[in-house]
Amino acid sequence: MSSSVSVANEGGIAIVTIDNPPVNALSFHVREPLMQALIALRDDASVAAIVIACAGRTFVAGADITEFGKPVRQPDLRAIVATLEAIAKPTVAAIHGTAFGGGLELALGCHFRVADQGAKLGLPEVKLGLLPGGGGTVRLPRLVGAAKALKMIVSGTPIGADEAHGAGLVDAVFAGDLSTRAVNFVREIARKGGPFTPVRDRDELLRGTDLAAFDAEAADLAGKARGLEAPMACVQAVRNAVTLPFDEALAAERALFAKLVASDQSRAQRHLFFAEREAAKLPGNVVKRRIARVGVIGAGTMGGGIAMAFANGGFPVTLLETSQEALRRGLATIEKNYAVSVARRSLSEDAKRQRLGQFKGSIDHADLADCDLIIEAAFEDMAVKKEIFGKLDAVAKPGAILATNTSYLDIDEIAASTSRPQDVLGLHFFSPANVMKLLEIVRAQKTAPDALATVVDLARRIGKVAVVVGVCHGFVGNRMLAARGSELEALLLEGAAPTQIDKAFTDFGWPMGPFQMGDLAGLDIGWRNRKARGLTAVIADTLCEQGRFGQKTGRGFYLYENGSRTPVPDPEVEALIRDKAAEKGIAPRTISADELIERTLYPLVNEGAKILEEGIAARASDIDVVWVNGYGFPVGKGGPMFWAGLEGGARIVERLEYWHERTGKDVFKPAPLLKRMAETGSWEAGSTAGIRG
Ligand code: NAD
């Protein structure tokens, strides 16, 4: 028998142990011996009951997703669960760590489930654009009811052992020595001769389902799915569990799974799953620096959020401002943000107190001397940053990592204002920094490998998705954002309304369009940026001159009435656009949705290709991670570079060339790498470049 599955016998109770590090995924080399073991134990009269357990740090944490999309090798999970469920002696799953996806579906094949106190159980397949395809949608509702199952399956969010016990998913929760407790649990049932009923035959709960309430909930979920197919397939599958006989519902689940697994959306979501893990890997193995205390300079929008992100991750934080008044304001905002979390019940009063206890305020740079990492989040001004880094150079301890949260500035220049450029790098957080997952880690020319490795590891510890990028104006995200927006003014002048452009974006799957986003972020930011660089944007500049900065002033590209965040189209803005177009002698025309995509998203992809060519990003998939986690690129399309593959590189190049010929604008000039991708269908050529250091 394979070493990945072993069987022990404790006085007539068989213990099947799966051992497939690191997470006991149900790979083919586990499934085959597991099936053989189950058949042997089923037929062995000396075995009274069976425990299924796992070695290592977790129960089966899921299917082996590297097998998705390939021909299925038998026995598949469904066959194993069917065999397990048909065994006419009591079976129990002993769950520790995480029973996710296929792991939980395996456990649902047992008559009982017992769990360690710290265990987590869930069906997260929806996050990969799938549904649980091993009977999970049909069995889970039989244990916890259709409403609860719907919530678990559509959200993909796991629940803890106690909640699972309360819901009926788990039969007992134990603290410590799970294996012995599981053996005793099932021995007692075997001794009494039952009762033990296969989950498939337990439909008492389903009979009480309020289908009208279920459908109302499902309609609500459909509204939130924003074009994703998987959540809707999950809804259908759970509904089938209620309305169809078991075997028919199971077959329908299978059909839905087969459709999803072959879909572009699921391929895109699986791509992102691997891309996020890949992005956090650095070549080589260096000893990381120890980070115990973090310093943050500036308690404004970003500094406050960054400080919260570290306090939430358990780090003590020294927060530095220029005056007691600014410090007081910054700390008050932090306190208010935590109070909102308490009011929303996502944070306890105790946790709030504990987190606030992590902060130490100061207006004296010398107080940063005991910090191991110092992040500057002061004004976006090179002179300000250089002055701050000069002071840091004088007070920071040797080996402290000195980071800047700059959005655009040259980090090599900032590093050069210190005597220790090897310790300087960029940590580009996104607003609000305590919420947004993305962290662009900017490697400057002289950044030391161990400093880089330290912050990559730290990012994970504070729950961020990290992507390492190189130095250029705007790094990966903001540089590509500029390319995406480069034609917006021209499109307005040629006849597309802000509402039309925003709708094309939301139809594509973005949470909002570029004008809604501009109004949300504040139009004054771009205005200031343009003025500093000697650039103009006739419509946006005029709006700013009129004091229309977006949501914060109640007016921008849209109107926001009485403090509402709902954008209302404004005839004044439409008139302004018409006037400016007339001044320039541009006759308005009807612009198709295709053209809007070609002139915004194709330049986005093209800029991504240039970034790869220049070695500013190491992999095309890193760019996808940036755009999905930081800018709302639809997950179902896998990020701009993955989407380019779906759209077809050849088409993108052809249309870019068309627009380049018509406008002469650089954003449309196809990058050589994009042309190569159009020929080969892959971005591979870019992946060997590495980050330019
Ligand atoms: P902000 O104006 O809200 O806050 C800046 C804070 O820094 C102010 O409270 C100011 O008093 C303080 N400050 C200025 N000089 C200081 C000094 N010498 N020592 C200590 N404190 C000082 O600005 P923000 O939006 O938080 O931006 C901060 C930085 O983060 C900028 O470099 C910006 O480009 C970058 N950034 C901003 C965003 C965003 O969405 N706002 C996103 C990513 C990065």
PDB file of all heavy atoms in Angstrom, residues 283-317:
ATOM      1  N   PRO A 283      13.415  34.360  -5.563  1.00  0.00           N
ATOM      2  CA  PRO A 283      14.480  33.383  -5.790  1.00  0.00           C
ATOM      3  C   PRO A 283      15.512  33.470  -4.660  1.00  0.00           C
ATOM      4  O   PRO A 283      15.676  34.516  -4.042  1.00  0.00           O
ATOM      5  CB  PRO A 283      15.091  33.843  -7.123  1.00  0.00           C
ATOM      6  CG  PRO A 283      14.688  35.272  -7.279  1.00  0.00           C
ATOM      7  CD  PRO A 283      13.436  35.475  -6.509  1.00  0.00           C
ATOM      8  N   GLY A 284      16.186  32.355  -4.404  1.00  0.00           N
ATOM      9  CA  GLY A 284      17.243  32.358  -3.385  1.00  0.00           C
ATOM     10  C   GLY A 284      16.663  32.223  -1.993  1.00  0.00           C
ATOM     11  O   GLY A 284      15.449  32.251  -1.800  1.00  0.00           O
ATOM     12  N   ASN A 285      17.542  32.060  -1.036  1.00  0.00           N
ATOM     13  CA  ASN A 285      17.111  31.843   0.329  1.00  0.00           C
ATOM     14  C   ASN A 285      17.979  32.691   1.245  1.00  0.00           C
ATOM     15  O   ASN A 285      19.122  32.347   1.494  1.00  0.00           O
ATOM     16  CB  ASN A 285      17.266  30.344   0.658  1.00  0.00           C
ATOM     17  CG  ASN A 285      16.404  29.962   1.831  1.00  0.00           C
ATOM     18  OD1 ASN A 285      15.690  30.807   2.370  1.00  0.00           O
ATOM     19  ND2 ASN A 285      16.498  28.715   2.246  1.00  0.00           N
ATOM     20  N   VAL A 286      17.452  33.805   1.694  1.00  0.00           N
ATOM     21  CA  VAL A 286      18.269  34.683   2.535  1.00  0.00           C
ATOM     22  C   VAL A 286      17.688  34.745   3.944  1.00  0.00           C
ATOM     23  O   VAL A 286      16.496  34.483   4.138  1.00  0.00           O
ATOM     24  CB  VAL A 286      18.339  36.121   1.967  1.00  0.00           C
ATOM     25  CG1 VAL A 286      19.107  36.155   0.667  1.00  0.00           C
ATOM     26  CG2 VAL A 286      16.943  36.690   1.796  1.00  0.00           C
ATOM     27  N   VAL A 287      18.534  35.062   4.908  1.00  0.00           N
ATOM     28  CA  VAL A 287      18.064  35.184   6.293  1.00  0.00           C
ATOM     29  C   VAL A 287      17.333  36.522   6.420  1.00  0.00           C
ATOM     30  O   VAL A 287      17.857  37.564   6.021  1.00  0.00           O
ATOM     31  CB  VAL A 287      19.262  35.142   7.273  1.00  0.00           C
ATOM     32  CG1 VAL A 287      18.771  35.313   8.716  1.00  0.00           C
ATOM     33  CG2 VAL A 287      20.021  33.841   7.099  1.00  0.00           C
ATOM     34  N   LYS A 288      16.111  36.456   6.952  1.00  0.00           N
ATOM     35  CA  LYS A 288      15.314  37.691   7.042  1.00  0.00           C
ATOM     36  C   LYS A 288      15.698  38.492   8.274  1.00  0.00           C
ATOM     37  O   LYS A 288      16.194  37.949   9.251  1.00  0.00           O
ATOM     38  CB  LYS A 288      13.829  37.318   7.088  1.00  0.00           C
ATOM     39  CG  LYS A 288      13.377  36.700   5.795  1.00  0.00           C
ATOM     40  CD  LYS A 288      11.954  36.189   5.883  1.00  0.00           C
ATOM     41  CE  LYS A 288      11.637  35.291   4.712  1.00  0.00           C
ATOM     42  NZ  LYS A 288      12.192  33.925   4.867  1.00  0.00           N
ATOM     43  N   ARG A 289      15.458  39.786   8.191  1.00  0.00           N
ATOM     44  CA  ARG A 289      15.723  40.643   9.346  1.00  0.00           C
ATOM     45  C   ARG A 289      14.554  40.538  10.333  1.00  0.00           C
ATOM     46  O   ARG A 289      13.426  40.243   9.936  1.00  0.00           O
ATOM     47  CB  ARG A 289      15.887  42.101   8.896  1.00  0.00           C
ATOM     48  CG  ARG A 289      17.005  42.266   7.902  1.00  0.00           C
ATOM     49  CD  ARG A 289      17.224  43.725   7.547  1.00  0.00           C
ATOM     50  NE  ARG A 289      18.105  43.834   6.380  1.00  0.00           N
ATOM     51  CZ  ARG A 289      18.503  44.980   5.860  1.00  0.00           C
ATOM     52  NH1 ARG A 289      18.111  46.118   6.384  1.00  0.00           N
ATOM     53  NH2 ARG A 289      19.297  45.000   4.804  1.00  0.00           N
ATOM     54  N   ARG A 290      14.848  40.824  11.592  1.00  0.00           N
ATOM     55  CA  ARG A 290      13.808  40.720  12.606  1.00  0.00           C
ATOM     56  C   ARG A 290      13.040  42.043  12.671  1.00  0.00           C
ATOM     57  O   ARG A 290      13.637  43.111  12.768  1.00  0.00           O
ATOM     58  CB  ARG A 290      14.467  40.422  13.957  1.00  0.00           C
ATOM     59  CG  ARG A 290      13.497  40.239  15.077  1.00  0.00           C
ATOM     60  CD  ARG A 290      14.195  39.749  16.342  1.00  0.00           C
ATOM     61  NE  ARG A 290      13.288  39.889  17.469  1.00  0.00           N
ATOM     62  CZ  ARG A 290      13.182  40.994  18.200  1.00  0.00           C
ATOM     63  NH1 ARG A 290      13.949  42.025  17.944  1.00  0.00           N
ATOM     64  NH2 ARG A 290      12.310  41.055  19.200  1.00  0.00           N
ATOM     65  N   ILE A 291      11.721  41.936  12.599  1.00  0.00           N
ATOM     66  CA  ILE A 291      10.900  43.148  12.691  1.00  0.00           C
ATOM     67  C   ILE A 291      10.032  43.037  13.944  1.00  0.00           C
ATOM     68  O   ILE A 291       9.132  42.193  14.016  1.00  0.00           O
ATOM     69  CB  ILE A 291       9.982  43.321  11.463  1.00  0.00           C
ATOM     70  CG1 ILE A 291      10.775  43.290  10.148  1.00  0.00           C
ATOM     71  CG2 ILE A 291       9.159  44.615  11.575  1.00  0.00           C
ATOM     72  CD1 ILE A 291      11.664  44.459   9.885  1.00  0.00           C
ATOM     73  N   ALA A 292      10.309  43.890  14.934  1.00  0.00           N
ATOM     74  CA  ALA A 292       9.502  43.854  16.158  1.00  0.00           C
ATOM     75  C   ALA A 292       8.626  45.110  16.253  1.00  0.00           C
ATOM     76  O   ALA A 292       7.452  45.031  16.593  1.00  0.00           O
ATOM     77  CB  ALA A 292      10.401  43.740  17.385  1.00  0.00           C
ATOM     78  N   ARG A 293       9.193  46.280  15.949  1.00  0.00           N
ATOM     79  CA  ARG A 293       8.426  47.528  16.046  1.00  0.00           C
ATOM     80  C   ARG A 293       8.457  48.261  14.709  1.00  0.00           C
ATOM     81  O   ARG A 293       9.482  48.275  14.025  1.00  0.00           O
ATOM     82  CB  ARG A 293       8.980  48.414  17.162  1.00  0.00           C
ATOM     83  CG  ARG A 293       8.335  49.796  17.223  1.00  0.00           C
ATOM     84  CD  ARG A 293       8.745  50.604  18.435  1.00  0.00           C
ATOM     85  NE  ARG A 293       8.026  50.215  19.641  1.00  0.00           N
ATOM     86  CZ  ARG A 293       6.817  50.666  19.990  1.00  0.00           C
ATOM     87  NH1 ARG A 293       6.182  51.532  19.215  1.00  0.00           N
ATOM     88  NH2 ARG A 293       6.224  50.267  21.095  1.00  0.00           N
ATOM     89  N   VAL A 294       7.314  48.835  14.359  1.00  0.00           N
ATOM     90  CA  VAL A 294       7.191  49.534  13.074  1.00  0.00           C
ATOM     91  C   VAL A 294       6.958  51.023  13.320  1.00  0.00           C
ATOM     92  O   VAL A 294       6.177  51.393  14.205  1.00  0.00           O
ATOM     93  CB  VAL A 294       6.014  48.942  12.261  1.00  0.00           C
ATOM     94  CG1 VAL A 294       5.810  49.706  10.961  1.00  0.00           C
ATOM     95  CG2 VAL A 294       6.264  47.464  11.978  1.00  0.00           C
ATOM     96  N   GLY A 295       7.629  51.867  12.560  1.00  0.00           N
ATOM     97  CA  GLY A 295       7.388  53.307  12.635  1.00  0.00           C
ATOM     98  C   GLY A 295       6.657  53.765  11.384  1.00  0.00           C
ATOM     99  O   GLY A 295       6.914  53.254  10.290  1.00  0.00           O
ATOM    100  N   VAL A 296       5.717  54.705  11.534  1.00  0.00           N
ATOM    101  CA  VAL A 296       5.013  55.256  10.372  1.00  0.00           C
ATOM    102  C   VAL A 296       5.109  56.772  10.445  1.00  0.00           C
ATOM    103  O   VAL A 296       4.820  57.372  11.488  1.00  0.00           O
ATOM    104  CB  VAL A 296       3.533  54.801  10.343  1.00  0.00           C
ATOM    105  CG1 VAL A 296       2.798  55.451   9.179  1.00  0.00           C
ATOM    106  CG2 VAL A 296       3.439  53.274  10.232  1.00  0.00           C
ATOM    107  N   ILE A 297       5.536  57.380   9.360  1.00  0.00           N
ATOM    108  CA  ILE A 297       5.677  58.843   9.316  1.00  0.00           C
ATOM    109  C   ILE A 297       4.525  59.447   8.533  1.00  0.00           C
ATOM    110  O   ILE A 297       4.335  59.138   7.350  1.00  0.00           O
ATOM    111  CB  ILE A 297       7.016  59.228   8.659  1.00  0.00           C
ATOM    112  CG1 ILE A 297       8.163  58.639   9.483  1.00  0.00           C
ATOM    113  CG2 ILE A 297       7.137  60.749   8.548  1.00  0.00           C
ATOM    114  CD1 ILE A 297       9.538  58.964   8.937  1.00  0.00           C
ATOM    115  N   GLY A 298       3.757  60.285   9.212  1.00  0.00           N
ATOM    116  CA  GLY A 298       2.574  60.880   8.591  1.00  0.00           C
ATOM    117  C   GLY A 298       1.345  60.116   9.052  1.00  0.00           C
ATOM    118  O   GLY A 298       1.270  58.896   8.882  1.00  0.00           O
ATOM    119  N   ALA A 299       0.398  60.832   9.654  1.00  0.00           N
ATOM    120  CA  ALA A 299      -0.818  60.170  10.145  1.00  0.00           C
ATOM    121  C   ALA A 299      -2.018  60.641   9.331  1.00  0.00           C
ATOM    122  O   ALA A 299      -3.112  60.821   9.849  1.00  0.00           O
ATOM    123  CB  ALA A 299      -1.012  60.456  11.627  1.00  0.00           C
ATOM    124  N   GLY A 300      -1.805  60.829   8.029  1.00  0.00           N
ATOM    125  CA  GLY A 300      -2.893  61.239   7.147  1.00  0.00           C
ATOM    126  C   GLY A 300      -3.658  60.019   6.651  1.00  0.00           C
ATOM    127  O   GLY A 300      -3.659  58.964   7.294  1.00  0.00           O
ATOM    128  N   THR A 301      -4.278  60.145   5.478  1.00  0.00           N
ATOM    129  CA  THR A 301      -5.089  59.067   4.906  1.00  0.00           C
ATOM    130  C   THR A 301      -4.310  57.758   4.880  1.00  0.00           C
ATOM    131  O   THR A 301      -4.767  56.733   5.381  1.00  0.00           O
ATOM    132  CB  THR A 301      -5.460  59.421   3.444  1.00  0.00           C
ATOM    133  OG1 THR A 301      -5.958  60.737   3.426  1.00  0.00           O
ATOM    134  CG2 THR A 301      -6.471  58.456   2.878  1.00  0.00           C
ATOM    135  N   MET A 302      -3.108  57.792   4.306  1.00  0.00           N
ATOM    136  CA  MET A 302      -2.365  56.546   4.116  1.00  0.00           C
ATOM    137  C   MET A 302      -1.640  56.114   5.391  1.00  0.00           C
ATOM    138  O   MET A 302      -1.702  54.957   5.782  1.00  0.00           O
ATOM    139  CB  MET A 302      -1.359  56.694   2.973  1.00  0.00           C
ATOM    140  CG  MET A 302      -2.007  56.840   1.613  1.00  0.00           C
ATOM    141  SD  MET A 302      -3.214  55.568   1.243  1.00  0.00           S
ATOM    142  CE  MET A 302      -2.163  54.152   1.009  1.00  0.00           C
ATOM    143  N   GLY A 303      -0.945  57.062   6.049  1.00  0.00           N
ATOM    144  CA  GLY A 303      -0.191  56.705   7.253  1.00  0.00           C
ATOM    145  C   GLY A 303      -1.086  56.069   8.299  1.00  0.00           C
ATOM    146  O   GLY A 303      -0.733  55.048   8.901  1.00  0.00           O
ATOM    147  N   GLY A 304      -2.273  56.649   8.509  1.00  0.00           N
ATOM    148  CA  GLY A 304      -3.201  56.100   9.496  1.00  0.00           C
ATOM    149  C   GLY A 304      -3.591  54.668   9.143  1.00  0.00           C
ATOM    150  O   GLY A 304      -3.579  53.771   9.994  1.00  0.00           O
ATOM    151  N   GLY A 305      -3.921  54.442   7.877  1.00  0.00           N
ATOM    152  CA  GLY A 305      -4.330  53.097   7.432  1.00  0.00           C
ATOM    153  C   GLY A 305      -3.184  52.097   7.530  1.00  0.00           C
ATOM    154  O   GLY A 305      -3.382  50.943   7.926  1.00  0.00           O
ATOM    155  N   ILE A 306      -1.980  52.543   7.173  1.00  0.00           N
ATOM    156  CA  ILE A 306      -0.812  51.655   7.236  1.00  0.00           C
ATOM    157  C   ILE A 306      -0.536  51.276   8.691  1.00  0.00           C
ATOM    158  O   ILE A 306      -0.292  50.104   9.013  1.00  0.00           O
ATOM    159  CB  ILE A 306       0.426  52.348   6.604  1.00  0.00           C
ATOM    160  CG1 ILE A 306       0.211  52.553   5.107  1.00  0.00           C
ATOM    161  CG2 ILE A 306       1.691  51.536   6.862  1.00  0.00           C
ATOM    162  CD1 ILE A 306       1.241  53.467   4.440  1.00  0.00           C
ATOM    163  N   ALA A 307      -0.617  52.280   9.567  1.00  0.00           N
ATOM    164  CA  ALA A 307      -0.391  52.011  10.993  1.00  0.00           C
ATOM    165  C   ALA A 307      -1.414  51.003  11.503  1.00  0.00           C
ATOM    166  O   ALA A 307      -1.085  50.070  12.240  1.00  0.00           O
ATOM    167  CB  ALA A 307      -0.475  53.321  11.775  1.00  0.00           C
ATOM    168  N   MET A 308      -2.676  51.148  11.062  1.00  0.00           N
ATOM    169  CA  MET A 308      -3.712  50.190  11.489  1.00  0.00           C
ATOM    170  C   MET A 308      -3.408  48.791  10.969  1.00  0.00           C
ATOM    171  O   MET A 308      -3.587  47.797  11.674  1.00  0.00           O
ATOM    172  CB  MET A 308      -5.087  50.633  10.969  1.00  0.00           C
ATOM    173  CG  MET A 308      -5.681  51.815  11.711  1.00  0.00           C
ATOM    174  SD  MET A 308      -7.244  52.346  10.957  1.00  0.00           S
ATOM    175  CE  MET A 308      -8.347  51.044  11.493  1.00  0.00           C
ATOM    176  N   ALA A 309      -2.947  48.711   9.719  1.00  0.00           N
ATOM    177  CA  ALA A 309      -2.655  47.388   9.136  1.00  0.00           C
ATOM    178  C   ALA A 309      -1.623  46.662   9.992  1.00  0.00           C
ATOM    179  O   ALA A 309      -1.744  45.452  10.249  1.00  0.00           O
ATOM    180  CB  ALA A 309      -2.154  47.548   7.701  1.00  0.00           C
ATOM    181  N   PHE A 310      -0.601  47.382  10.467  1.00  0.00           N
ATOM    182  CA  PHE A 310       0.424  46.737  11.295  1.00  0.00           C
ATOM    183  C   PHE A 310      -0.096  46.435  12.699  1.00  0.00           C
ATOM    184  O   PHE A 310       0.176  45.366  13.247  1.00  0.00           O
ATOM    185  CB  PHE A 310       1.701  47.586  11.331  1.00  0.00           C
ATOM    186  CG  PHE A 310       2.522  47.413  10.085  1.00  0.00           C
ATOM    187  CD1 PHE A 310       2.459  48.332   9.051  1.00  0.00           C
ATOM    188  CD2 PHE A 310       3.341  46.296   9.934  1.00  0.00           C
ATOM    189  CE1 PHE A 310       3.190  48.155   7.882  1.00  0.00           C
ATOM    190  CE2 PHE A 310       4.084  46.106   8.769  1.00  0.00           C
ATOM    191  CZ  PHE A 310       4.004  47.041   7.741  1.00  0.00           C
ATOM    192  N   ALA A 311      -0.846  47.366  13.273  1.00  0.00           N
ATOM    193  CA  ALA A 311      -1.407  47.104  14.608  1.00  0.00           C
ATOM    194  C   ALA A 311      -2.337  45.890  14.539  1.00  0.00           C
ATOM    195  O   ALA A 311      -2.313  45.020  15.419  1.00  0.00           O
ATOM    196  CB  ALA A 311      -2.165  48.330  15.110  1.00  0.00           C
ATOM    197  N   ASN A 312      -3.123  45.786  13.469  1.00  0.00           N
ATOM    198  CA  ASN A 312      -4.015  44.633  13.307  1.00  0.00           C
ATOM    199  C   ASN A 312      -3.221  43.336  13.187  1.00  0.00           C
ATOM    200  O   ASN A 312      -3.684  42.273  13.574  1.00  0.00           O
ATOM    201  CB  ASN A 312      -4.900  44.788  12.068  1.00  0.00           C
ATOM    202  CG  ASN A 312      -5.814  45.993  12.153  1.00  0.00           C
ATOM    203  OD1 ASN A 312      -5.938  46.601  13.211  1.00  0.00           O
ATOM    204  ND2 ASN A 312      -6.443  46.355  11.045  1.00  0.00           N
ATOM    205  N   GLY A 313      -2.016  43.449  12.630  1.00  0.00           N
ATOM    206  CA  GLY A 313      -1.167  42.276  12.482  1.00  0.00           C
ATOM    207  C   GLY A 313      -0.354  41.987  13.739  1.00  0.00           C
ATOM    208  O   GLY A 313       0.497  41.097  13.733  1.00  0.00           O
ATOM    209  N   GLY A 314      -0.601  42.749  14.806  1.00  0.00           N
ATOM    210  CA  GLY A 314       0.043  42.459  16.084  1.00  0.00           C
ATOM    211  C   GLY A 314       1.336  43.225  16.332  1.00  0.00           C
ATOM    212  O   GLY A 314       2.054  42.923  17.284  1.00  0.00           O
ATOM    213  N   PHE A 315       1.647  44.226  15.498  1.00  0.00           N
ATOM    214  CA  PHE A 315       2.904  44.960  15.674  1.00  0.00           C
ATOM    215  C   PHE A 315       2.680  46.259  16.453  1.00  0.00           C
ATOM    216  O   PHE A 315       1.729  46.995  16.149  1.00  0.00           O
ATOM    217  CB  PHE A 315       3.502  45.320  14.304  1.00  0.00           C
ATOM    218  CG  PHE A 315       4.033  44.138  13.567  1.00  0.00           C
ATOM    219  CD1 PHE A 315       3.212  43.402  12.726  1.00  0.00           C
ATOM    220  CD2 PHE A 315       5.351  43.742  13.726  1.00  0.00           C
ATOM    221  CE1 PHE A 315       3.684  42.291  12.049  1.00  0.00           C
ATOM    222  CE2 PHE A 315       5.838  42.636  13.049  1.00  0.00           C
ATOM    223  CZ  PHE A 315       5.008  41.909  12.214  1.00  0.00           C
ATOM    224  N   PRO A 316       3.568  46.554  17.412  1.00  0.00           N
ATOM    225  CA  PRO A 316       3.529  47.885  18.022  1.00  0.00           C
ATOM    226  C   PRO A 316       3.995  48.923  17.006  1.00  0.00           C
ATOM    227  O   PRO A 316       4.904  48.645  16.212  1.00  0.00           O
ATOM    228  CB  PRO A 316       4.504  47.784  19.199  1.00  0.00           C
ATOM    229  CG  PRO A 316       5.341  46.593  18.957  1.00  0.00           C
ATOM    230  CD  PRO A 316       4.613  45.698  17.986  1.00  0.00           C
ATOM    231  N   VAL A 317       3.345  50.085  17.006  1.00  0.00           N
ATOM    232  CA  VAL A 317       3.602  51.088  15.970  1.00  0.00           C
ATOM    233  C   VAL A 317       3.907  52.453  16.590  1.00  0.00           C
ATOM    234  O   VAL A 317       3.163  52.907  17.463  1.00  0.00           O
ATOM    235  CB  VAL A 317       2.358  51.251  15.053  1.00  0.00           C
ATOM    236  CG1 VAL A 317       2.614  52.304  13.984  1.00  0.00           C
ATOM    237  CG2 VAL A 317       1.989  49.927  14.399  1.00  0.00           C
TER     238      VAL A 317
END
